[in-house]
């Protein structure tokens, strides 16, 4: 499968959000990556349902929501109603992860689980067959524009082995500190979905940067 590009809207110009969404629509990007932060699980607050509702009105590509919130099950129905296709929760934020995954599936969404940099791939052994996607955090979650953590390469390789061992179809998503320089090594290591925020939106020509990431 050719890798997918998911621009992270966190780094977009919120004053011109409509234009930013149109740019992504017309670009070679595959998904919209939406980072929801609660100020508890991560030390930052981003945006929530009202903003996603507005984005959903304009967006003509799948919505991929990354929930950096404690006890995310409280909002699964909301995200379903907003039209989210991939819903990713954090391993570290769910006490009953298996139940959370079941609930996401029962609502008709694809289920993803994100791992913080300190969380080992083996934690997912007993749920990997149920997952549509695993998100490897290659920075500590909470902010755009941070530096890539090099150890993430090893985690991608280990995750690829776990997926293959289980004959699973799980996608590997990498999020945080992705640049035009490291994206090709990430894809070579096994990444299927590349998230990029500042690399895209802080560049001179965001749609050209998306094209370059897609051409790798
Ligand atoms: C960080 C978010 C990321 C963030 C990535 O907590 O999950 O999606 O927007 O931003 P960059 O690509 O700038 O590291
Ligand atoms: Zn994210």
């Amino acid at each position: 499968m050719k890798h997918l590009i998911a621009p992270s809207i966190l780094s977009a110009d919120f004053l011109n959000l409509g234009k930013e969404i149109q740019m992504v629509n017309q670009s070679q990007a595959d998904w919209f990556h939406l980072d929801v932060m609660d100020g508890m699980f991560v030390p930052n607050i981003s945006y929530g349902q009202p903003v996603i509702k507005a984005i959903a009105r304009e967006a003509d590509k799948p919505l991929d929501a990354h929930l950096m919130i404690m006890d995310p099950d409280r909002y699964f129905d909301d995200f379903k109603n907003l039209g989210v296709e991939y819903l990713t929760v954090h391993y570290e934020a769910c006490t009953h992860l298996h139940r959370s995954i079941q609930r996401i599936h029962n609502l008709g969404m694809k289920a993803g689980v994100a791992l913080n940099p300190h969380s080992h791939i083996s934690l997912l052994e007993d749920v990997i067959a149920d997952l549509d996607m695993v998100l490897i955090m290659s920075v500590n979650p909470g902010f755009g524009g941070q530096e890539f953590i090099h150890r993430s390469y090893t985690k991608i390789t280990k995750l690829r082995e776990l997926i293959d061992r289980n004959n699973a179809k799980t996608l590997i998503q990498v999020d945080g500190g992705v640049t035009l320089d490291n994206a090709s090594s990430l894809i070579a290591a096994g990444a299927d979905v590349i998230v990029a925020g500042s690399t895209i939106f802080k560049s001179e020509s965001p749609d050209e940067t998306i094209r370059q990431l897609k051409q790798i």
Side-chain angles (χ1 to χ4, degrees), residues 67 69-76 79 88-90 93-94 100:
L67 303 186
I69 62 180
M70 299 302 298
D71 198 7
D73 301 46
R74 293 172 291 162
Y75 302 106
F76 287 173
F79 289 106
T88 296
V89 296
H90 264 264
C94 296
S100 303

Side-chain angles (χ1 to χ4, degrees), residues 69-211:
I69 62 180
M70 299 302 298
D71 198 7
D73 301 46
R74 293 172 291 162
Y75 302 106
F76 287 173
D77 291 281
D78 286 3
F79 289 106
K80 171 64 186 173
N81 293 333
L82 288 166
V84 166
E85 195 166 322
Y86 280 83
L87 192 63
T88 296
V89 296
H90 264 264
Y91 174 86
E92 302 84 3
C94 296
T95 311
H96 300 286
L97 183 66
H98 187 270
R99 180 184 291 150
S100 303
I101 296 164
Q102 277 182 327
R103 286 204 52 220
I104 295 172
H105 280 151
N106 288 343
L107 285 166
M109 293 180 284
K110 302 261 188 0
V113 171
L115 285 184
N116 273 342
H118 74 272
S119 295
H120 198 267
I121 293 298
S122 60
L123 294 166
L124 297 179
E125 281 218 47
D126 291 323
V127 288
I128 193 72
D130 300 318
L131 292 179
D132 300 291
M133 185 160 76
V134 173
L135 184 164
I136 293 185
M137 282 302 321
S138 40
V139 298
N140 282 294
F143 303 93
Q146 302 181 82
E147 197 180 327
F148 181 83
I149 297 172
H150 200 264
R151 172 142 184 100
S152 313
Y153 287 114
T154 313
K155 293 180 77 169
I156 296 171
T157 310
K158 284 209 166 92
L159 176 56
R160 176 55 64 205
E161 283 164 14
L162 178 66
I163 292 169
D164 291 348
R165 238 188 358 261
N166 283 271
N167 287 322
K169 300 240 174 327
T170 318
L171 296 174
I172 300 179
Q173 185 174 49
V174 182
D175 184 9
V178 174
T179 65
L180 283 167
D181 292 328
N182 62 20
S184 53
S185 321
L186 293 168
I187 292 158
D192 301 298
V193 188
I194 295 288
V195 176
S198 38
T199 288
I200 290 173
F201 289 100
K202 308 294 181 214
S203 71
E204 228 162 79
S205 172
D207 62 335
E208 170 60 16
T209 305
I210 292 170
R211 195 190 65 77

Side-chain angles (χ1 to χ4, degrees), residues 8 10 33-37 64-68 90 135 137 141-142 173-176 195:
S8 167
L10 189 65
H33 184 80
L34 307 173
D35 290 297
V36 181
M37 305 180 187
D64 160 40
H66 174 193
L67 303 186
M68 286 161 275
H90 264 264
L135 184 164
M137 282 302 321
Q173 185 174 49
V174 182
D175 184 9
V195 176

